[in-house]
Amino acid sequence: MTHSHSTKPGTAIVTGASSGIGKVYADRLAARGYDLVLVARREERLKDIAADLRQRYGVNADVLVADLSRPDGTAAVADRLSRDASVSLLVNNAGFSALKPLTNTPDPVITDMIGLNVTALTLLSKAALAAFKQRNAGTLVNIGSGAGFAPYPGIPVYGSTKAYVYLFTQSLQGEVEGTAVRVQLVLPGAVVSEGWDVAGGADLDPLPESIVMTTEDCVDAALAGLDQGERVTAPSLHDDASLRDYEGLTGRLLQSMFDGRPAARYRVGS
Ligand SMILES: NC(=O)C1=CN([C@@H]2O[C@H](COP(=O)(O)OP(=O)(O)OC[C@H]3O[C@@H](n4cnc5c(N)ncnc54)[C@H](OP(=O)(O)O)[C@@H]3O)[C@@H](O)[C@H]2O)C=CC1
Ligand SMILES: N[C@@H](C=O)C(=O)O
């Protein structure tokens, strides 16, 4: 499908576009007429995906090979965000997990995971919002995880990086309030992808099929949430009132933390 110039929505940068959720984002965004910049480390895969998108949708698709757990990799993508005024959407999707207790997780895995899931996502969000705010247009999508809602024994670092994405992205929503810039937080549950092999220590196969979503359903729901103007989209959460309750409760808890008097149960000064 080709799109006329006047309807072009601009360029979308998708990190982690070489597989899983990111690859499906690239496909769906190309179907919507976006030109693409595909970011990941595996160049051959990215080239094949880019060629396929060009051929099937008639869009431009560039490959940007970058290791986002390294400062130079993140800087290369940030540079594209600040130089290329056609970029109207960033999907901060690249991420990985290690399903291991802390003491069994090698130090480089920990630093790479924090570097990718937290530092790169933060710096690329900053570069995107700087460009989008200047143009008063653009959309930032950050991929968190249901694993960021509560302590998750066995995956202490991954779950915590996703808790960061949850709070960070919602904080950014406050920063763009009153502008035309949009920030969406996407919280997948369990999704079929190579990510489970990368994570090790757990296998998708023993999980009941009923709790695992396809990458296609996950991305289609995330984009439907974006179309509906949602700030937080949880593709597998049927009871969305529970999310609002959670947000309300944590917001009230934050407010009630600001009190100069020690709580009575500590009997300080009594
Ligand atoms: N699958 C699931 O159950 C869930 C996944 N998520 C999140 O969804 C996102 C996508 O994961 P998913 O599709 O499952 O996993 P995949 O492993 O299929 O995809 C991860 C993508 O990130 C890229 N990537 C990994 N490390 C780096 C790096 N250092 N620099 C640049 N790119 C990198 C990979 O490409 P390459 O190796 O070529 O660099 C790949 O394209 C992640 O943020 C994940 O945490 C959230 C909830 C559930
Ligand atoms: N990727 C999954 C677990 O590691 C998740 O985010 O739930």
Side-chain angles (χ1 to χ4, degrees), residues 4-21:
S4 75
H5 196 70
S6 59
T7 60
K8 279 237 172 223
T11 300
I13 298 184
V14 180
T15 70
S18 62
S19 68
I21 292 170

PDB file of all heavy atoms in Angstrom, residues 4-21:
ATOM      1  N   SER A   4      -0.174   8.845  -0.237  1.00  0.00           N
ATOM      2  CA  SER A   4       0.141  10.092  -0.910  1.00  0.00           C
ATOM      3  C   SER A   4       0.952  10.965   0.035  1.00  0.00           C
ATOM      4  O   SER A   4       0.871  10.835   1.257  1.00  0.00           O
ATOM      5  CB  SER A   4      -1.138  10.822  -1.308  1.00  0.00           C
ATOM      6  OG  SER A   4      -1.715  11.387  -0.168  1.00  0.00           O
ATOM      7  N   HIS A   5       1.761  11.875  -0.531  1.00  0.00           N
ATOM      8  CA  HIS A   5       2.665  12.681   0.266  1.00  0.00           C
ATOM      9  C   HIS A   5       1.922  13.442   1.357  1.00  0.00           C
ATOM     10  O   HIS A   5       2.378  13.514   2.489  1.00  0.00           O
ATOM     11  CB  HIS A   5       3.420  13.631  -0.670  1.00  0.00           C
ATOM     12  CG  HIS A   5       4.623  14.226  -0.023  1.00  0.00           C
ATOM     13  ND1 HIS A   5       5.737  13.470   0.265  1.00  0.00           N
ATOM     14  CD2 HIS A   5       4.858  15.469   0.421  1.00  0.00           C
ATOM     15  CE1 HIS A   5       6.620  14.239   0.855  1.00  0.00           C
ATOM     16  NE2 HIS A   5       6.122  15.459   0.964  1.00  0.00           N
ATOM     17  N   SER A   6       0.730  13.968   1.006  1.00  0.00           N
ATOM     18  CA  SER A   6       0.023  14.841   1.942  1.00  0.00           C
ATOM     19  C   SER A   6      -0.446  14.102   3.191  1.00  0.00           C
ATOM     20  O   SER A   6      -0.638  14.711   4.232  1.00  0.00           O
ATOM     21  CB  SER A   6      -1.164  15.493   1.247  1.00  0.00           C
ATOM     22  OG  SER A   6      -2.012  14.480   0.772  1.00  0.00           O
ATOM     23  N   THR A   7      -0.627  12.782   3.102  1.00  0.00           N
ATOM     24  CA  THR A   7      -1.125  12.056   4.273  1.00  0.00           C
ATOM     25  C   THR A   7       0.005  11.435   5.095  1.00  0.00           C
ATOM     26  O   THR A   7      -0.259  10.729   6.048  1.00  0.00           O
ATOM     27  CB  THR A   7      -2.100  10.941   3.857  1.00  0.00           C
ATOM     28  OG1 THR A   7      -1.394  10.044   2.998  1.00  0.00           O
ATOM     29  CG2 THR A   7      -3.320  11.482   3.148  1.00  0.00           C
ATOM     30  N   LYS A   8       1.247  11.699   4.700  1.00  0.00           N
ATOM     31  CA  LYS A   8       2.369  11.052   5.405  1.00  0.00           C
ATOM     32  C   LYS A   8       2.427  11.485   6.859  1.00  0.00           C
ATOM     33  O   LYS A   8       2.441  12.674   7.160  1.00  0.00           O
ATOM     34  CB  LYS A   8       3.684  11.420   4.714  1.00  0.00           C
ATOM     35  CG  LYS A   8       3.938  10.570   3.489  1.00  0.00           C
ATOM     36  CD  LYS A   8       5.255   9.860   3.631  1.00  0.00           C
ATOM     37  CE  LYS A   8       5.459   8.855   2.513  1.00  0.00           C
ATOM     38  NZ  LYS A   8       6.005   7.613   2.991  1.00  0.00           N
ATOM     39  N   PRO A   9       2.441  10.530   7.773  1.00  0.00           N
ATOM     40  CA  PRO A   9       2.480  10.902   9.191  1.00  0.00           C
ATOM     41  C   PRO A   9       3.886  11.237   9.701  1.00  0.00           C
ATOM     42  O   PRO A   9       4.036  11.590  10.859  1.00  0.00           O
ATOM     43  CB  PRO A   9       1.931   9.656   9.881  1.00  0.00           C
ATOM     44  CG  PRO A   9       2.254   8.531   8.964  1.00  0.00           C
ATOM     45  CD  PRO A   9       2.275   9.080   7.575  1.00  0.00           C
ATOM     46  N   GLY A  10       4.904  11.109   8.859  1.00  0.00           N
ATOM     47  CA  GLY A  10       6.269  11.417   9.290  1.00  0.00           C
ATOM     48  C   GLY A  10       7.085  10.144   9.459  1.00  0.00           C
ATOM     49  O   GLY A  10       6.749   9.091   8.912  1.00  0.00           O
ATOM     50  N   THR A  11       8.144  10.280  10.246  1.00  0.00           N
ATOM     51  CA  THR A  11       9.066   9.152  10.434  1.00  0.00           C
ATOM     52  C   THR A  11       8.952   8.637  11.864  1.00  0.00           C
ATOM     53  O   THR A  11       8.915   9.427  12.812  1.00  0.00           O
ATOM     54  CB  THR A  11      10.522   9.610  10.175  1.00  0.00           C
ATOM     55  OG1 THR A  11      10.611  10.088   8.828  1.00  0.00           O
ATOM     56  CG2 THR A  11      11.514   8.485  10.384  1.00  0.00           C
ATOM     57  N   ALA A  12       8.907   7.308  11.976  1.00  0.00           N
ATOM     58  CA  ALA A  12       8.893   6.678  13.301  1.00  0.00           C
ATOM     59  C   ALA A  12      10.236   5.995  13.536  1.00  0.00           C
ATOM     60  O   ALA A  12      10.715   5.248  12.672  1.00  0.00           O
ATOM     61  CB  ALA A  12       7.765   5.660  13.394  1.00  0.00           C
ATOM     62  N   ILE A  13      10.835   6.261  14.692  1.00  0.00           N
ATOM     63  CA  ILE A  13      12.028   5.511  15.099  1.00  0.00           C
ATOM     64  C   ILE A  13      11.568   4.426  16.055  1.00  0.00           C
ATOM     65  O   ILE A  13      10.890   4.713  17.057  1.00  0.00           O
ATOM     66  CB  ILE A  13      13.052   6.431  15.800  1.00  0.00           C
ATOM     67  CG1 ILE A  13      13.539   7.522  14.831  1.00  0.00           C
ATOM     68  CG2 ILE A  13      14.233   5.612  16.329  1.00  0.00           C
ATOM     69  CD1 ILE A  13      14.626   8.430  15.407  1.00  0.00           C
ATOM     70  N   VAL A  14      11.901   3.190  15.727  1.00  0.00           N
ATOM     71  CA  VAL A  14      11.528   2.064  16.598  1.00  0.00           C
ATOM     72  C   VAL A  14      12.808   1.398  17.079  1.00  0.00           C
ATOM     73  O   VAL A  14      13.593   0.891  16.262  1.00  0.00           O
ATOM     74  CB  VAL A  14      10.653   1.030  15.850  1.00  0.00           C
ATOM     75  CG1 VAL A  14      10.283  -0.128  16.789  1.00  0.00           C
ATOM     76  CG2 VAL A  14       9.393   1.676  15.290  1.00  0.00           C
ATOM     77  N   THR A  15      13.049   1.424  18.390  1.00  0.00           N
ATOM     78  CA  THR A  15      14.224   0.714  18.901  1.00  0.00           C
ATOM     79  C   THR A  15      13.833  -0.740  19.176  1.00  0.00           C
ATOM     80  O   THR A  15      12.697  -1.041  19.518  1.00  0.00           O
ATOM     81  CB  THR A  15      14.782   1.372  20.180  1.00  0.00           C
ATOM     82  OG1 THR A  15      13.870   1.157  21.268  1.00  0.00           O
ATOM     83  CG2 THR A  15      15.028   2.865  19.984  1.00  0.00           C
ATOM     84  N   GLY A  16      14.817  -1.625  18.990  1.00  0.00           N
ATOM     85  CA  GLY A  16      14.526  -3.048  19.161  1.00  0.00           C
ATOM     86  C   GLY A  16      13.601  -3.555  18.069  1.00  0.00           C
ATOM     87  O   GLY A  16      12.693  -4.349  18.320  1.00  0.00           O
ATOM     88  N   ALA A  17      13.870  -3.102  16.836  1.00  0.00           N
ATOM     89  CA  ALA A  17      12.973  -3.436  15.716  1.00  0.00           C
ATOM     90  C   ALA A  17      13.365  -4.733  15.023  1.00  0.00           C
ATOM     91  O   ALA A  17      12.715  -5.134  14.061  1.00  0.00           O
ATOM     92  CB  ALA A  17      12.962  -2.284  14.701  1.00  0.00           C
ATOM     93  N   SER A  18      14.416  -5.415  15.515  1.00  0.00           N
ATOM     94  CA  SER A  18      14.870  -6.607  14.800  1.00  0.00           C
ATOM     95  C   SER A  18      14.089  -7.856  15.180  1.00  0.00           C
ATOM     96  O   SER A  18      14.256  -8.907  14.546  1.00  0.00           O
ATOM     97  CB  SER A  18      16.370  -6.835  15.043  1.00  0.00           C
ATOM     98  OG  SER A  18      16.605  -7.066  16.420  1.00  0.00           O
ATOM     99  N   SER A  19      13.253  -7.769  16.223  1.00  0.00           N
ATOM    100  CA  SER A  19      12.446  -8.948  16.571  1.00  0.00           C
ATOM    101  C   SER A  19      11.276  -8.547  17.467  1.00  0.00           C
ATOM    102  O   SER A  19      11.158  -7.386  17.865  1.00  0.00           O
ATOM    103  CB  SER A  19      13.309 -10.010  17.289  1.00  0.00           C
ATOM    104  OG  SER A  19      13.703  -9.559  18.554  1.00  0.00           O
ATOM    105  N   GLY A  20      10.430  -9.521  17.752  1.00  0.00           N
ATOM    106  CA  GLY A  20       9.393  -9.373  18.761  1.00  0.00           C
ATOM    107  C   GLY A  20       8.463  -8.184  18.572  1.00  0.00           C
ATOM    108  O   GLY A  20       7.994  -7.876  17.469  1.00  0.00           O
ATOM    109  N   ILE A  21       8.208  -7.511  19.678  1.00  0.00           N
ATOM    110  CA  ILE A  21       7.235  -6.414  19.715  1.00  0.00           C
ATOM    111  C   ILE A  21       7.676  -5.281  18.779  1.00  0.00           C
ATOM    112  O   ILE A  21       6.867  -4.708  18.044  1.00  0.00           O
ATOM    113  CB  ILE A  21       7.077  -5.926  21.178  1.00  0.00           C
ATOM    114  CG1 ILE A  21       6.391  -7.024  22.019  1.00  0.00           C
ATOM    115  CG2 ILE A  21       6.285  -4.624  21.248  1.00  0.00           C
ATOM    116  CD1 ILE A  21       6.389  -6.768  23.531  1.00  0.00           C
TER     117      ILE A  21
END
